[in-house]
Amino acid sequence: MKSNAKQQLIEQYPLNWSEAKIQSFREQLLGWYDQHQRDLPWRRTDNPYYIWVSEIMLQQTQVDTVKPYYERFIETLPTIEALATASEAELLSLWQGLGYYSRVRNMQVAAQQVMSDYDGQMPKTIEGLLSLKGIGPYTAGAVGSIAFGLVEPAIDGNVMRIMSRLFEIDQDITLTSTRKLMAAYLYQLIDPERPGDFNQALMDIGATIMTPTNYEPLESPLLDFDQSYHNGTAHLFPIKAKKVKVIPQMKFAYAIRNVEGEYLVRQHTEDELLHGLWHFPMADVEMVMEGVTQHELLEPLLDQYPEITESLLRQAQLIQFNGDQLQAPTIIHQFSHRKWTVTLVEVALNNSAISNFESLKWASMAQMTELPLSTLQQKLMQQIKS
DNA sequence: AAAACGGGGCT
DNA sequence: AGCCCAGTTTT
């Protein structure tokens, strides 16, 4: 990261620790690492390519599973050039069983980028690493710090858990702002003499001591700095908002206009979303076909609203066909738990229908604007005006 | 900034 | 069978 951006981040989230306390943190962490670091194949090399391969593999798989894959991969494709020119069949067979096959394809694209854009050498800056396909902020930080000594944090799930517990960070770790806060703290904590070891030490502690379910990490070299341990709150961290899954739904909304220029509208009931707000009548549909017919457009409406009869629509004219091609706008409306894709179907009646129905009534555009409307309905009405 | 993606592993 | 994970890419 550029030093001015880094400085700004630190000013935004200052740690306010004394130099002595920061020094002590580094000494505890690195002293522990010197004694307890795990002996892993990719820690016996300083070849940036090998370290890169290991980081990509470790993104998706546990250490013990990765080991044999790693050994075979670097033996078979020992250089970036070999990776860049390998056949797809060879790549896939080397990766078979690891999953996330797009990542090995991305890695080959990146190897080709290195050959063409970087003269066959891995770029030695964060920006350069980030320019490679498949390398995001975590991998750039890991490879950059371990292989090139760049003073950059490598924030993965382990590190987020550790940071959220050390500082009792009570924000959702899936938020970008929370990761920025952690990056700011880590820029202040990271040892500029040994950034790669600093990052790997944190990851080892996360993997072996400050695990997801160990709330009393008595062996942790960071115990003195561990707020959640001292307050007995470790089990509360990290805070991860459980994401409700969004159910996609397709709907038609019918803008049915009579000769007076009025539209049929209805107020959503309490068993519906957008309760109390007024809308064009809407109907659920499975999917919208490419070559949908006029009949198919109106069928869901008749199904869902018994009071709208076929005789009423006998004179209906669908005004959105250009030749046979339907040209209907769609509006996306996102709820916390639903995503509606609403296709606006415009219907012009030639007869002068005036009587109101049980739950539907006629309203001019001007009258509608006096009613409580959802943003969805406003967007639909916007489509008609233009 | 938020959503989509992805396939092995777990319940 | 369906949910979950942990990072990157895409929008």
Side-chain angles (χ1 to χ4, degrees):
Chain A
M1 179 183 251
K2 297 244 165 56
S3 69
N4 50 352
K6 190 189 296 190
Q7 206 52 48
Q8 202 175 341
L9 196 57
I10 291 173
E11 282 163 25
Q12 191 178 354
Y13 301 108
L15 195 48
N16 294 325
W17 279 15
S18 68
E19 264 318 302
K21 187 169 182 182
I22 290 175
Q23 280 302 336
S24 169
F25 184 96
R26 293 171 181 167
E27 280 166 21
Q28 292 295 316
L29 181 64
L30 292 169
W32 175 88
Y33 185 67
D34 290 336
Q35 290 209 337
H36 297 99
Q37 67 172 287
R38 293 176 292 176
D39 179 26
L40 303 171
W42 43 90
R43 286 184 180 170
R44 296 162 171 257
T45 180
D46 59 0
N47 184 326
Y49 168 58
Y50 293 173
I51 292 165
W52 173 31
V53 170
S54 74
E55 287 299 337
I56 297 294
M57 287 184 171
L58 287 165
Q59 278 173 16
Q60 57 216 14
T61 316
Q62 294 177 335
V63 164
D64 284 336
T65 311
V66 163
K67 282 180 186 170
Y69 281 91
Y70 167 82
E71 302 283 7
R72 190 178 61 170
F73 196 97
I74 64 171
E75 276 168 30
T76 313
L77 301 173
T79 63
I80 293 176
E81 186 176 9
L83 171 58
T85 56
S87 72
E88 182 176 42
E90 179 156 45
L91 280 189
L92 292 180
S93 82
L94 284 170
W95 211 262
Q96 192 144 85
L98 281 178
Y100 291 89
Y101 299 93
S102 66
R103 305 210 174 196
V104 73
R105 292 200 181 92
N106 285 343
M107 200 161 50
Q108 182 175 48
V109 172
Q112 291 160 355
Q113 285 179 279
V114 171
M115 297 309 293
S116 62
D117 301 350
Y118 295 101
D119 202 25
Q121 301 293 120
M122 294 260 321
K124 296 183 176 55
T125 64
I126 281 291
E127 292 78 13
L129 290 167
L130 284 172
S131 75
L132 299 177
K133 193 90 170 164
I135 296 190
Y138 165 73
T139 309
V143 174
S145 65
I146 297 168
F148 303 125
L150 299 180
V151 185
E152 295 287 336
I155 306 175
D156 70 351
N158 280 325
V159 172
M160 285 196 281
R161 182 173 61 257
I162 292 172
M163 293 299 287
S164 69
R165 287 185 179 167
L166 295 188
F167 297 95
E168 292 183 295
I169 296 171
D170 60 356
Q171 302 173 48
D172 180 356
I173 60 165
T174 65
L175 297 176
T176 310
S177 58
T178 308
R179 297 183 193 187
K180 274 179 65 179
L181 168 70
M182 292 187 181
Y185 284 1
L186 284 165
Y187 274 122
Q188 295 166 81
L189 290 171
I190 192 169
D191 190 331
E193 303 293 319
R194 300 176 61 188
D197 288 345
F198 181 96
N199 287 332
Q200 292 183 96
L202 281 183
M203 291 189 260
D204 273 13
I205 287 172
T208 62
I209 299 176
M210 294 181 70
T211 59
T213 55
N214 181 16
Y215 306 129
E216 297 202 327
L218 302 177
E219 296 81 35
S220 167
L222 304 177
L223 209 57
D224 287 350
F225 308 92
D226 189 339
Q227 285 182 34
S228 73
Y229 170 68
H230 287 108
N231 296 332
T233 60
H235 62 290
L236 299 176
F237 301 95
I239 290 172
K240 217 182 297 189
K242 50 179 176 291
K243 54 179 181 291
V244 288
K245 88 156 164 210
V246 177
I247 298 166
Q249 291 180 321
M250 307 258 314
K251 290 171 181 290
F252 284 153
Y254 296 93
I256 304 172
R257 187 178 70 229
N258 66 18
V259 289
E260 335 289 341
E262 298 166 328
Y263 291 86
L264 268 185
V265 290
R266 62 179 287 274
Q267 190 173 28
H268 278 200
T269 54
E270 59 188 324
D271 59 345
E272 296 175 282
L273 293 174
L274 305 173
H275 169 216
L277 303 174
W278 289 80
H279 300 86
F280 296 134
M282 290 191 271
D284 296 297
V285 287
E286 291 301 313
M287 59 174 88
V288 180
M289 313 287 191
E290 191 75 9
V292 64
T293 64
Q294 303 205 6
H295 174 72
E296 285 167 340
L297 277 179
L298 292 176
E299 201 173 19
L301 176 69
L302 298 171
D303 285 350
Q304 210 135 330
Y305 298 91
E307 61 266 55
I308 298 178
T309 60
E310 245 175 293
S311 67
L312 172 70
L313 295 176
R314 185 152 305 134
Q315 307 294 320
Q317 187 191 340
L318 275 67
I319 55 185
Q320 293 162 313
F321 283 90
N322 180 1
D324 275 348
Q325 198 65 30
L326 175 67
Q327 300 199 319
T330 62
I331 304 290
I332 307 275
H333 193 78
Q334 185 84 46
F335 298 93
S336 56
H337 57 312
R338 290 285 141 84
K339 179 185 178 177
W340 286 359
T341 303
V342 182
T343 300
L344 177 63
V345 180
E346 291 188 59
V347 182
L349 300 181
N350 293 325
N351 47 338
S352 169
I354 42 155
S355 63
N356 285 331
F357 302 94
E358 188 114 354
S359 61
L360 295 153
K361 71 172 187 181
W362 294 101
S364 67
M365 277 286 179
Q367 289 169 327
M368 271 191 269
T369 59
E370 301 299 311
L371 301 170
L373 303 172
S374 69
T375 60
L376 165 63
Q377 175 65 14
Q378 290 175 36
K379 285 186 221 165
L380 291 169
M381 289 163 61
Q382 204 75 45
Q383 289 295 325
I384 292 174
K385 283 187 201 153
S386 55

